[in-house]
Amino acid sequence: MSTITAEKQTAPKAPAARDGGEWRRTPSWLYAVLFVGLFLVVVPFVWMLLSSIKPEAEVRAVPPTWWPETITLDNYATLFTKLDFPTYFLNSAIVALAVTAGNMVFCSMLGYALAKLDFPGKKALFAIVLGTLMIPGVVTFVPLFVLTTNIGLSNTLLGMILPFLAGPFGVFLMRQFIQTLPDELIQAARIDGAGELRIFFSVILPLCGPALATLGILTFLTSWNNFLWPLVVAQTEDKYTLPVALALYSVGQNATQYGLLLAGSVVVVLPVLAIFLVLQRHIMQGIAMTGIK
């Protein structure tokens, strides 16, 4: 009996269950820093939304008012009635969706080739892809415009889409993700007689959901907010995208219509915010799994 009692006394104790102690041990200053960061991020968007429903005189008032004294939708009415808003919105949607779809397909193909296929010059090609990430966009802007003009794509939506159908960041992102997929799946598909295209579309692509969601939202955000390239390529009003139209019609020679500009900014932000909320879980998973911090 004494032996059993001694064994019970010397037996190691089981670790206590975690009941939220980790959260209680988190330093309070960390929550304060996170709250300040959240405040700095959210406040400009709240200010933009509230100012978009103010009259122009109140937007320009000094000192500025936080909550609108007079709520009006005149800015949105001007945006949707006096401007050719449906055309600008449709142009932006076509360009952004086409560029996003192209990057998701072509960058996945290039990433699969660099991650799982063996061919001469593979390492050199990947080094070139990494090298292009270090080149600023303004360096290639003028040659890209000259090339687009020479092939007759100036003042066309295709001229805004074609140069950006595959980007080096997307190739790098997809290559890093596809490298984590097991080679046994590809070998099993090849034993069953599947070709490389069948393997890519039937085996690889369905497993790339998190990485594709990350690439999709980042590409859509960049293309949707792109201003300089559509401004240069589009030469007539029917080819303007939404950011270009807002900048040209709200910023006049004598004064800037801040209320109209803020209302247009709200409309521009809403589609991106909606897509991010829908794909948020996949985006976070894709960033974590590909090691991009």
Side-chain angles (χ1 to χ4, degrees):
M1 188 71 176
S2 59
T3 304
I4 297 176
T5 304
E7 291 178 354
K8 290 182 178 181
Q9 293 176 351
T10 58
K13 295 182 180 181
R18 295 183 179 180
D19 55 352
E22 295 291 339
W23 294 100
R24 288 195 297 268
R25 287 195 295 270
T26 302
S28 57
W29 62 266
L30 181 58
Y31 289 107
V33 172
L34 293 176
F35 178 79
V36 172
L38 178 64
F39 180 81
L40 294 176
V41 171
V42 172
V43 164
F45 290 97
V46 176
W47 173 263
M48 177 180 67
L49 179 61
L50 294 178
S51 299
S52 67
I53 56 177
K54 296 178 182 178
E56 185 67 23
E58 188 176 348
V59 175
R60 297 174 177 270
V62 179
T65 58
W66 176 259
W67 189 261
E69 298 177 357
T70 303
I71 298 178
T72 178
L73 297 179
D74 290 344
N75 296 321
Y76 291 95
T78 302
L79 185 67
F80 287 97
T81 57
K82 295 184 179 181
L83 302 182
D84 194 5
F85 179 83
T87 299
Y88 307 143
F89 189 90
L90 182 61
N91 291 341
S92 292
I94 292 175
V95 172
L97 291 176
V99 171
T100 302
N103 274 265
M104 293 174 70
V105 174
F106 297 127
C107 290
S108 300
M109 289 182 172
L110 292 170
Y112 169 66
L114 293 173
K116 297 299 184 181
L117 301 182
D118 293 324
F119 54 90
K122 174 181 174 180
K123 293 183 179 179
L125 180 60
F126 184 61
I128 294 175
V129 172
L130 294 179
T132 55
L133 286 172
M134 307 176 189
I135 301 176
V138 293
V139 175
T140 60
F141 189 86
V142 173
L144 191 61
F145 174 73
V146 173
L147 179 62
T148 303
T149 304
N150 289 339
I151 61 178
L153 295 181
S154 179
N155 197 35
T156 62
L157 296 182
L158 187 59
M160 305 179 199
I161 296 170
L162 192 60
F164 305 100
L165 283 180
F169 175 77
V171 175
F172 173 75
L173 179 71
M174 297 307 300
R175 186 254 185 188
Q176 295 301 106
F177 183 87
I178 294 175
Q179 264 194 333
T180 63
L181 302 179
D183 295 334
E184 289 76 8
L185 295 174
I186 301 175
Q187 295 173 1
R190 287 172 180 166
I191 292 174
D192 290 339
E196 295 301 332
L197 285 178
R198 178 67 181 276
I199 294 173
F200 173 76
F201 285 106
S202 300
V203 179
I204 299 298
L205 206 58
L207 299 176
C208 294
L212 288 175
T214 304
L215 177 61
I217 185 62
L218 294 178
T219 305
F220 184 87
L221 177 62
T222 303
S223 181
W224 180 263
N225 293 328
N226 193 7
F227 172 76
L228 188 57
W229 182 253
L231 176 65
V232 173
V233 175
Q235 300 173 1
T236 56
E237 293 186 7
D238 61 318
K239 296 298 187 296
Y240 285 170
T241 58
L242 199 52
V244 174
L246 288 176
L248 294 181
Y249 290 116
S250 61
V251 181
Q253 295 181 355
N254 300 323
T256 300
Q257 302 180 50
Y258 290 105
L260 180 62
L261 183 61
L262 291 171
S265 300
V266 171
V267 176
V268 171
V269 167
L270 286 179
V272 178
L273 182 61
I275 293 177
F276 179 80
L277 292 176
V278 172
L279 302 177
Q280 181 180 8
R281 180 173 61 87
H282 298 287
I283 294 169
M284 297 305 177
Q285 183 181 358
I287 293 176
M289 295 183 69
T290 50
I292 304 297
K293 300 298 182 184

